[in-house]
Amino acid sequence: MKSYDCVIVGGGMVGAASALSLAELGLKVAVVERALPQAFEPGQPFDLRVSAISLSSQYLLEQVGAWQQISQWRLCPYKRLGVWEQELSYAEFNSDDIGQSHLGAIIENRLIQLALLDQVKNHDNICLYCPDSLTSFVQYEQGVDIELSQETVKAKLLIAADGANSRVRQLAGIGTTGWDYQQSAMLINVNTGLEQQDITWQQFFPTGPVAMLPMPGQHASLVWYHHRDEIKRLKTLSLKQLEQAVMASFPKRLGQVEVLDRASFDLTRRHANQYQKQRVVLMGDAAHSINPMAGQGVNLGFKDVKALQKVIAEAIGNGECWHDPAVLARYEKLRRHDNLLMMSAMDALYASFSHPSLLMKGLRNAGLFIANRAPVLKNKALAYACGL
C-alpha cells in the first residue's frame, strides 16, 4: 500500500493549489481527480465559468508557478470596480488609490486549473491519480486509510477539496448549515461593441444585480441575477431573443452586444459545521459556498490554501507533529471567522439591495454616495477585498 503525507481529494483550482503549496514544504502529496479539463488552444471560445482573481490569489498562483502559464494563455486585468443602484449613488474603486497596478484579473476557471495541474504533473513530490475517485476512508490514531476506485493508499492527512457536495465531508460525518437564496444567476458570454475595458461593474436591482466582467479583446462575461422562474424563462429564449433582453435590462454603458453562449446556476449558501475532524481537513467549497455577488468564492478557497500551508510550516519549524489534530485545528481557527465575515457581508448586501421599501432604497444609495466620498474607508475596504 502506497503511503503519502497528504492525500487531496479534488484536483480543481483549490485542490491543485493546495497540493503545490504543501509539496513546497517537502511533503509527499497525492491528488485524486475524476477527470482532466480540456486542454487549452488559443482559438477556443471563452468558457462560461470565470473568476475574478484578487491580487492575493494572484500572488499565490505566482508562488506555485501557475501564473506565468496563465499569463501566456489569456486573462483580463482590471483597474476599476464600479457599483451603483441609481446613477447619483455611483461608487468607483480604483487600484491607483491603494498603490496597485490593478485590482485583479478575470480568468476562466479551466485555465487556472490547467495551469496548476501542469505544475502538479511536473512536481517530484506529487502523484496525480486521474481518472480516479474516493470510495471510502477509515481514520485511526496515526493516519487515514483511503480506498480509491483503483487502489488503497495511506496518508497522515486527508484534505477535502471536492466541492460543495463533498464526498469526503459526508463520509467524515461533518454537517453543514445554510439555505437557498431562491434566486439563480445566468452567465452570458458576449461579443462587445467596446474594446477591452479596465473596469468591472455591477448595478443593483430589487430582483438582483447585473454585472459585467471584462474579457480579452471585444468580449465580456455578463452575470444576470434574478428570481429562479425568470432565469428559467430566459433560458428558453433563443440567443437573439436573449440579446434583446440583455439590451433592455442592462445599463446603457454596456453598449451593443452579441450573445454567444449562456448557462445558469442556483444560488445557495453552505457552511461546514467544522473544517477539521481528526485528520480530515476541508477547504474551498467543501468548507464554504458563498453568494457569488462579489466574486469572492475561489479567493476564499485560496486563502484557505495559504492558511493551511502556514499552519503546517510553522509546526514543522517548531518541531511539532504537523499532522496532529491539535495542530490542524489551528487552520480552522485561522479561517472560520474570516470566511464567516465575508459570507455574512454578502448576505447583508444581498438583503439590503433586495429590500423593496423606499426607506431602505434611500439608505443604501446614501451609503454608496457617502462611501465614494470617504477615501480612507473606501480604500480599506478595497484592500481587504483584494486580500492585501
Side-chain angles (χ1 to χ4, degrees), residues 1-2 4 31-35 127-136 146-153:
M1 185 186 301
K2 293 180 180 178
Y4 299 93
V31 178
V32 181
E33 172 58 29
R34 290 181 179 275
C127 180
L128 177 62
Y129 288 80
C130 182
D132 213 333
S133 59
L134 173 77
T135 300
S136 64
I146 303 157
E147 185 178 344
L148 307 177
S149 60
Q150 311 275 351
E151 62 180 288
T152 300
V153 297

Side-chain angles (χ1 to χ4, degrees), residues 205 224 241-252 254-255 257:
F205 296 94
W224 193 345
Q241 290 171 327
L242 181 58
E243 179 183 310
Q244 294 169 353
V246 167
M247 296 303 298
S249 299
F250 275 63
K252 299 304 180 188
L254 175 63
V257 299

Side-chain angles (χ1 to χ4, degrees), residues 122-356:
N122 294 321
H123 203 295
D124 292 340
N125 284 355
I126 306 176
C127 180
L128 177 62
Y129 288 80
C130 182
D132 213 333
S133 59
L134 173 77
T135 300
S136 64
F137 64 86
V138 176
Q139 296 197 64
Y140 55 96
E141 187 175 351
Q142 296 302 319
V144 191
D145 286 347
I146 303 157
E147 185 178 344
L148 307 177
S149 60
Q150 311 275 351
E151 62 180 288
T152 300
V153 297
K154 298 171 69 71
K156 297 169 183 173
L157 172 63
L158 175 61
I159 297 175
D162 51 343
N165 298 314
S166 171
R167 172 76 170 158
V168 177
R169 187 186 67 219
Q170 294 169 8
L171 290 174
I174 299 175
T176 62
T177 57
W179 52 81
D180 295 334
Y181 290 101
Q182 300 305 310
Q183 274 203 323
S184 298
M186 175 169 278
L187 308 175
I188 309 170
N189 278 1
V190 298
N191 282 332
T192 63
L194 303 173
E195 293 289 344
Q196 177 179 318
Q197 302 179 62
D198 70 350
I199 186 170
T200 179
W201 50 253
Q202 192 162 208
Q203 182 178 12
F204 290 91
F205 296 94
T207 53
V210 297
M212 189 281 292
L213 310 178
M215 297 293 286
Q218 293 186 234
H219 297 88
S221 173
L222 307 182
V223 190
W224 193 345
Y225 299 85
H226 214 296
H227 302 309
R228 287 182 177 174
D229 288 345
E230 177 61 9
I231 295 296
K232 287 179 182 178
R233 185 190 72 81
L234 292 171
K235 286 174 63 176
T236 67
L237 301 180
S238 67
L239 293 184
K240 191 64 180 178
Q241 290 171 327
L242 181 58
E243 179 183 310
Q244 294 169 353
V246 167
M247 296 303 298
S249 299
F250 275 63
K252 299 304 180 188
R253 71 183 65 198
L254 175 63
Q256 186 66 41
V257 299
E258 175 194 4
V259 172
L260 303 175
D261 199 4
R262 74 299 185 63
S264 67
F265 61 93
D266 294 334
L267 304 185
T268 60
R269 165 177 165 153
R270 296 288 183 271
H271 200 195
N273 295 338
Q274 57 193 104
Y275 290 5
Q276 174 257 338
K277 189 172 183 178
Q278 297 175 307
R279 296 180 184 277
V280 172
V281 164
L282 312 183
M283 58 173 44
D285 285 351
H288 44 79
S289 55
I290 185 174
N291 190 314
M293 191 178 295
Q296 288 297 313
V298 72
N299 293 311
L300 292 182
F302 284 148
K303 284 185 176 182
D304 294 346
V305 170
K306 290 191 288 186
L308 184 61
Q309 184 193 44
K310 180 177 186 290
V311 165
I312 291 178
E314 288 180 350
I316 292 173
N318 293 331
E320 298 177 274
C321 176
W322 63 265
H323 49 89
D324 187 276
V327 171
L328 299 174
R330 298 171 193 165
Y331 158 73
E332 178 164 0
K333 187 175 181 180
L334 275 178
R335 291 301 303 140
R336 189 172 190 87
H337 175 74
D338 185 56
N339 287 333
L340 188 58
L341 180 64
M342 183 62 75
M343 295 170 81
S344 300
M346 291 304 99
D347 286 343
L349 194 64
Y350 169 83
S352 170
F353 280 97
S354 61
H355 200 286

Side-chain angles (χ1 to χ4, degrees), residues 105-125:
I106 310 299
I107 311 172
E108 296 152 83
N109 291 0
R110 176 174 60 96
L111 302 193
I112 300 172
Q113 183 187 12
L114 275 172
L116 287 165
L117 287 177
D118 281 350
Q119 296 298 313
V120 164
K121 293 173 187 175
N122 294 321
H123 203 295
D124 292 340
N125 284 355

